[in-house]
Amino acid sequence: MRRPALWSRVRSAGPAAALVLALAGPGIAVPSSAVAAPAAPITPTAVSASVSVDAGRALATVPATGVGMNVAVYDGNMNHPSVPGLLKDAGTGAVRYPGGSYADGYHWQTHTVEGGYVAPGTEFDAFMGTVRTVGAQPIVTANYGSGTPEEAAGWVRYANVTKGYGVKYWEIGNEVYGNGLYGATWETDHHASKTATTYATNLVRYAAAMKAVDPSIRIGAVLTTPGAWPDGITGTGDPADWNHTVLSIAGAKIDFVVVHHYPIGNSQADLLGKPQAEIPGMAATLRSLIDRYAGGNAPNVGIAVTEVNANAYKNTSPNGLFAPDEYLTWMENGAFTVDWWNLHNGTDCTHVTTVEGAKDYDDGGILSSGASCEPALNTPFPPYWGTRMITKLGAPGDVLVRAAGSTPAVSAHAVRRAGGDLAVMLVNKDPAADATVTLSYAGFTPSSATPTVFSYRKNATSIGSTTTGTATRQTVPAYSVVVVQLRPAR
């Protein structure tokens, strides 16, 4: 049976995308051309940039759960023997289950989904076996749409009392605002009332029932992504828009808020600018809402971005550059987890295109599903390699510090590592021209030794390493991600 295509990518794109979804219906693939125009040709030009790194200006600590991944119960290969090693090598610290909108129809005790396909070998215990082998933290989405607080509490009891799995993070529902309240319906919701008020009232009930079983768990509330549809719209029966309504009722009872980010890039360059253009404002809005409604507990309420992906170029080099920029920009702005959609997602092979000299299969998976048009099962796509480059930058507990560039063509991230070293990631977004980057530092004096440099190049199938350049000058190949590892002067 064909795995469901990634149709949730259009949910937060605005009324036009909502119309596309409504016409297509759940589970039907929407062509990338419905939401993104073809990339315009780019004339090669020389790229020069300067990047300043302030090692004394901390932005955030790299969270253990920062690099996350989604898995879905329709994916019969989610627990394939190759998966744990691939996830561990990519630095995966969180894995989300049972899979997007499927969660609001999924009944954990019977391992069934209302109106959906469940693959053999994807039961919760099998999932936990993979997660524990990876050494990651599970993130579980409890069934709000067709479930009950008692069913969710039973899952907590089984997971943490009976089995001792220690599942800490529990979302209540997936994209519940897609239940028809705003005119588009993709999310299962059997409640008589679909309002944000109803969701928030029930969310409080879920939190009470689940924490009565295990007070140590953390409960997440579904919010709309700031600035994306349907944010700012007041639904019939509610006093305000979704976010204000939900948090005004449940803000004091939750431990984190949940948003998804599927930026709509109308060209390759447009997509690659989205992390810097959108995320800081979104994160600031979320923090403002939390501070307003969570009371004295506000500093302890986190931000979880439990689904991210590009809307186009999904299996090709633009997404390989987008992935580390997306992860790190969210982490720099306070997110404790950023979860890629999806481990395997599948394709019907009808929208295969060529992007920057490589095939794009319109497959939202980070690994090949092994479809007839694709490479062998579990072959990593470019976003896997881009994500894996984060492990060359830093590790959980290291400190993300400020790195600012002179041009949008080159983005930068920096980490002050536990032993006193510094690492800088440079992303060259020009598909044709190498970038000459001049680096300067405050609060850190680099060694004069030639630095170790890791790189993921355009259309490569591995990460390379060498010693090259200097601490103050590096050449970054076209459409590549480079990490420069620096030791302090002695």
Side-chain angles (χ1 to χ4, degrees):
M1 178 175 181
R2 174 175 158 259
R3 297 178 181 86
L6 174 56
W7 51 274
S8 64
R9 67 187 182 277
V10 301
R11 297 179 192 165
S12 60
L19 177 60
V20 170
L21 176 64
L23 293 173
I28 299 176
V30 179
S32 296
S33 59
V35 292
I42 298 175
T43 302
T45 55
V47 176
S48 61
S50 60
V51 169
S52 60
V53 178
D54 188 345
R57 185 171 171 182
L59 301 177
T61 299
V62 178
T65 50
V67 175
M69 185 62 57
N70 275 273
V71 298
V73 292
Y74 58 71
D75 173 18
N77 292 308
M78 65 181 278
N79 298 306
H80 187 279
S82 298
V83 164
L86 286 163
L87 290 180
K88 184 178 293 187
D89 288 345
T92 306
V95 187
R96 181 178 181 244
Y97 176 94
S101 294
Y102 257 46
D104 279 315
Y106 179 72
H107 299 285
W108 71 273
Q109 290 168 305
T110 58
H111 190 51
T112 57
V113 171
E114 296 184 20
Y117 168 74
V118 172
T122 60
E123 296 83 359
F124 178 62
D125 286 324
F127 159 75
M128 284 303 307
T130 294
V131 171
R132 296 181 109 181
T133 301
V134 174
Q137 173 68 232
I139 298 176
V140 173
T141 308
N143 182 346
Y144 173 81
S146 61
T148 65
E150 293 71 29
E151 181 183 31
W155 200 351
V156 174
R157 182 175 294 105
Y158 178 78
N160 292 356
V161 178
T162 303
K163 303 294 289 190
Y165 290 145
V167 179
K168 182 177 181 180
Y169 299 105
W170 298 80
E171 299 175 64
I172 310 304
N174 183 54
E175 296 168 352
V176 184
Y177 48 82
N179 61 7
L181 175 64
Y182 300 103
T185 305
W186 65 81
E187 202 74 18
T188 299
D189 186 355
H190 294 336
H191 297 88
S193 169
K194 307 297 191 288
T195 65
T197 300
T198 298
Y199 170 70
T201 302
N202 285 322
L203 171 60
V204 172
R205 293 178 55 219
Y206 270 76
M210 296 164 75
K211 287 194 172 186
V213 176
D214 183 352
S216 71
I217 66 171
R218 296 175 66 83
I219 298 293
V222 171
L223 298 186
T224 62
T225 305
W229 186 91
D231 183 45
I233 301 173
T234 299
T236 302
D238 284 326
D241 67 4
W242 184 276
N243 289 354
H244 285 84
T245 300
V246 169
L247 290 178
S248 67
I249 295 169
K253 302 294 184 181
I254 63 170
D255 303 291
F256 62 98
V257 298
V258 176
V259 294
H260 295 168
H261 190 216
Y262 292 102
I264 303 300
N266 294 311
S267 68
Q268 293 168 208
D270 187 35
L271 171 68
L272 294 178
K274 293 298 184 181
Q276 287 75 32
E278 295 185 350
I279 292 171
M282 290 175 173
T285 298
L286 292 170
R287 183 49 58 190
S288 176
L289 287 165
I290 292 167
D291 290 345
R292 178 176 177 180
Y293 291 113
N297 192 44
N300 301 317
V301 176
I303 297 172
V305 190
T306 59
E307 289 184 23
V308 299
N309 205 327
N311 71 305
Y313 326 118
K314 292 192 273 300
N315 314 121
T316 48
S317 52
N319 214 11
L321 307 184
F322 170 79
D325 239 1
E326 177 79 0
Y327 274 110
L328 290 166
T329 306
W330 271 114
M331 283 188 262
E332 288 164 351
N333 284 275
F336 72 85
T337 190
V338 183
D339 307 329
W340 194 263
W341 183 274
N342 201 11
L343 179 67
H344 305 103
N345 205 60
T347 178
D348 58 12
C349 294
T350 61
H351 302 112
V352 180
T353 57
T354 300
V355 178
E356 295 297 332
K359 285 186 177 181
D360 187 277
Y361 306 97
D362 194 34
D363 184 337
I366 205 165
L367 303 177
S368 169
S369 64
S372 61
C373 60
E374 291 187 343
L377 174 67
N378 290 324
T379 298
F381 289 131
Y384 173 86
W385 295 112
T387 300
R388 189 161 164 174
M389 284 294 290
I390 297 172
T391 67
K392 308 303 181 185
L393 182 69
D398 291 342
V399 179
L400 288 154
V401 298
R402 185 179 184 273
S406 62
T407 170
V410 177
S411 59
H413 306 275
V415 164
R416 191 175 68 234
R417 306 176 85 168
D421 293 353
L422 187 76
V424 182
M425 176 182 285
L426 304 169
V427 182
N428 180 1
K429 302 175 185 180
D430 191 303
D434 293 355
T436 300
V437 181
T438 302
L439 298 107
S440 61
Y441 306 90
F444 179 81
T445 302
S447 165
S448 60
T450 303
T452 298
V453 177
F454 292 87
S455 62
Y456 175 62
R457 299 191 176 213
K458 181 177 176 180
N459 298 334
T461 57
S462 63
I463 293 171
S465 67
T466 187
T467 52
T468 188
T470 68
T472 58
R473 189 177 178 88
Q474 287 288 328
T475 298
V476 184
Y479 248 34
S480 73
V481 182
V482 160
V483 170
V484 185
Q485 295 184 347
L486 303 162
R487 293 190 175 278
R490 301 296 184 188

